[in-house]
Amino acid sequence: MNVVLARIGKPHGLRGEVTVQLHTDEPESRFAPGTVVATEAEPGSGVPTALTIASTRVHRGIWLLTFEEIPDRTGAEGLRGTRLVMPELATKADDDEGYYEEDLVGLEVRDPAGEQVGTVSGLELGAAQDRLVITLTDGVTAYVPFVKRIVPTVADDHVVVDAPPGLFDLYREGSE
């Protein structure tokens, strides 16, 4: 199984540069120039099975990549939606504390007393911090910062969320 490192967004400029939504906390090493990255794209899209990083830069907080195989904006447009991936085994060796969305989705969410409050339905990666997306037992979607103080335990079958009082009620009020 592959782990998604980033998802390619829209082209930027005329020379094949693309925006990417990062799904890794180590973009500097994962996308170093010269690195060959595997791709996952829609069948028949014509996207190469691997791309070689030509350059990386951050523009207004957005990561931009160019690839040796993609010379212009037309080629970059064809990459939209492509996932940049790596084999899961390669990530386990150099990860000490990280979690991937596919590791978390479906886990039961419990409060510190052990009561089920919902299920993890996603992981949103942010510039400052990541957020767990939780579907509460009443169907409401809530978001909590994925930090040790609020999510002190991540086990094989559940996570413990020690949410500040009233946090989940804010999402319930917004959904009415």
Side-chain angles (χ1 to χ4, degrees):
M1 186 165 132
N2 289 327
V3 173
V4 178
L5 300 175
R7 184 177 313 268
I8 297 177
K10 63 184 180 180
H12 182 85
L14 301 174
R15 299 178 190 214
E17 199 168 41
V18 294
T19 62
V20 292
Q21 177 187 18
L22 296 177
H23 293 280
T24 178
D25 54 358
E26 300 173 352
E28 296 86 358
S29 62
R30 302 275 191 223
F31 302 123
T35 303
V36 177
V37 183
T39 65
E40 287 181 357
E42 292 298 317
S45 65
V47 173
T49 57
L51 293 167
T52 307
I53 305 292
S55 69
T56 63
R57 69 184 179 107
V58 179
H59 176 68
R60 297 184 181 175
I62 297 172
W63 275 78
L64 302 170
L65 303 179
T66 56
F67 305 100
E68 292 177 10
E69 299 83 357
I70 308 298
D72 56 25
R73 184 178 182 93
T74 303
E77 184 66 48
L79 296 177
R80 191 184 290 238
T82 298
R83 292 174 297 282
L84 301 176
V85 300
M86 68 184 303
E88 186 175 21
L89 296 175
T91 62
K92 296 295 184 198
D94 52 18
D95 257 359
D96 48 69
E97 188 83 19
Y99 296 98
Y100 292 97
E101 185 172 24
E102 51 267 17
D103 297 332
L104 300 167
V105 170
L107 294 181
E108 185 176 286
V109 178
R110 301 177 187 165
D111 66 15
E115 293 293 317
Q116 181 177 3
V117 296
T119 306
V120 176
S121 54
L123 175 66
E124 283 190 356
L125 302 177
Q129 67 186 195
D130 300 339
R131 300 186 312 164
L132 276 183
V133 181
I134 299 171
T135 301
L136 301 175
T137 52
D138 59 5
V140 171
T141 300
Y143 303 84
V144 297
F146 192 27
V147 295
K148 192 81 167 162
R149 186 173 57 77
I150 295 174
V151 186
T153 305
V154 177
D156 289 340
D157 64 342
H158 74 281
V159 296
V160 173
V161 173
D162 191 2
L167 177 66
F168 295 144
D169 294 332
L170 292 173
Y171 293 103
R172 288 185 179 104
E173 291 167 9
S175 68
E176 293 173 0

